[in-house]
Amino acid sequence: GAGVSQTPSNKVTEKGKYVELRCDPISGHTALYWYRQSLGQGPEFLIYFQGTGAADDSGLPNDRFFAVRPEGSVSTLKIQRTERGDSAVYLCASSSIPMLSGGLNTEAFFGQGTRLTVV
Amino acid sequence: AQKVTQAQTEISVVEKEDVTLDCVYETRDTTYYLFWYKQPPSGELVFLIRRNSFDEQNEISGRYSWNFQKSTSSFNFTITASQVVDSAVYFCALGFEDAGNKLTFGGGTRVLVKP
């Protein structure tokens, strides 16, 4: 597709279960970002990949959260032992070069997010 | 610490009115970047503009304009002659090149344009 694709669009899981959220970035984009957006709030940074490596994972809230990008394209955000507080929309974005290293109009393209509900 | 404050949680206007969204940021860095994003009901964030801290020139793009004032740490956004399609949540964000390219977002302002 032309844009960033996130699957599933909605996920309901029981407390304590494991979930995986997938992000397909725009083809050729080397930079990929995960953000979490709670209801009524702005997105919060989770992790940034440059290629296959996590260049900055300082936003991951705890060790239950982990993300991979093994081939430098698709990324998976993994959450273990989910808690009700993990309920949020998880947004993925990609850019052709690191967002803040490019020219004035370098932009990150966001997907529509995965709405995770932990019951 | 870096922080972005959007004091207006919701603004309601009638079509064709102008609307200004406030954004105040806090940082001790001298080099930083400011962004505005639009989030329509579909959920994806749509990039509107990016400015760097060394360029205080105001920007106009169609019905959109931005007023960057370093003296007051503000980066306000005005929609002129609003339209129903402008209804969305708008986010202001702050970023630093040496902070892993991550953005710090404000809480957003919901704009409702009534016909």
Side-chain angles (χ1 to χ4, degrees), chain A residues 3-6 22-26 29-36 43 45-50 69 73-75 90-99 107-114, chain B residues 37 44-47 101 103 105:
Chain A
V4 177
S5 175
Q6 291 188 245
R22 177 187 169 106
C23 173
D24 278 274
I26 293 173
H29 279 191
T30 58
L32 185 145
Y33 316 81
W34 283 99
Y35 283 80
R36 178 169 71 172
F45 172 81
L46 295 177
I47 187 169
Y48 155 57
F49 286 92
Q50 181 55 37
R69 196 186 184 199
S73 178
V74 171
S75 176
Y90 289 81
L91 295 167
C92 176
S94 71
S95 59
S96 55
I97 52 178
M99 203 188 318
E107 59 176 290
F109 294 86
F110 281 80
Q112 294 187 336
T114 293
Chain B
Y37 280 87
E44 78 278 17
L45 286 165
V46 178
F47 169 84
N101 283 272
L103 299 182
F105 283 83

Side-chain angles (χ1 to χ4, degrees), chain A residues 7-61:
Chain A
T7 53
S9 54
N10 279 284
K11 176 71 177 178
V12 180
T13 190
E14 292 180 348
K15 180 176 177 294
K17 298 288 189 182
Y18 167 82
V19 296
E20 291 190 352
L21 312 180
R22 177 187 169 106
C23 173
D24 278 274
I26 293 173
S27 178
H29 279 191
T30 58
L32 185 145
Y33 316 81
W34 283 99
Y35 283 80
R36 178 169 71 172
Q37 186 175 19
S38 299
L39 190 63
Q41 298 182 19
E44 294 178 300
F45 172 81
L46 295 177
I47 187 169
Y48 155 57
F49 286 92
Q50 181 55 37
T52 60
D56 183 352
D57 64 357
S58 62
L60 295 178

Side-chain angles (χ1 to χ4, degrees), chain B residues 6-44:
Chain B
Q6 295 181 253
Q8 306 145 307
T9 54
E10 184 166 322
I11 301 176
S12 182
V13 297
V14 176
E15 210 170 14
K16 298 185 182 177
E17 288 184 341
D18 298 347
V19 55
T20 294
L21 311 181
D22 298 334
C23 172
V24 175
Y25 60 92
E26 296 176 28
T27 178
R28 292 184 179 177
D29 287 59
T30 56
T31 303
Y32 52 88
Y33 301 83
L34 294 163
F35 296 75
W36 276 95
Y37 280 87
K38 174 182 180 180
Q39 189 174 44
S42 54
E44 78 278 17

Side-chain angles (χ1 to χ4, degrees), chain B residues 1-87:
Chain B
Q2 290 79 32
K3 185 179 178 182
V4 177
T5 301
Q6 295 181 253
Q8 306 145 307
T9 54
E10 184 166 322
I11 301 176
S12 182
V13 297
V14 176
E15 210 170 14
K16 298 185 182 177
E17 288 184 341
D18 298 347
V19 55
T20 294
L21 311 181
D22 298 334
C23 172
V24 175
Y25 60 92
E26 296 176 28
T27 178
R28 292 184 179 177
D29 287 59
T30 56
T31 303
Y32 52 88
Y33 301 83
L34 294 163
F35 296 75
W36 276 95
Y37 280 87
K38 174 182 180 180
Q39 189 174 44
S42 54
E44 78 278 17
L45 286 165
V46 178
F47 169 84
L48 296 178
I49 190 171
R50 162 186 143 168
R51 305 297 287 178
N52 70 50
S53 53
F54 297 110
D55 183 0
E56 288 192 69
Q57 189 171 9
N58 292 329
E59 177 100 3
I60 297 175
S61 177
R63 296 185 296 106
Y64 296 167
S65 61
W66 291 270
N67 184 347
F68 178 25
Q69 297 206 355
K70 284 180 76 171
S71 60
T72 56
S73 297
S74 66
F75 186 43
N76 296 338
F77 171 36
T78 297
I79 304 172
T80 302
S82 60
Q83 300 176 2
V84 172
V85 293
D86 296 327
S87 297

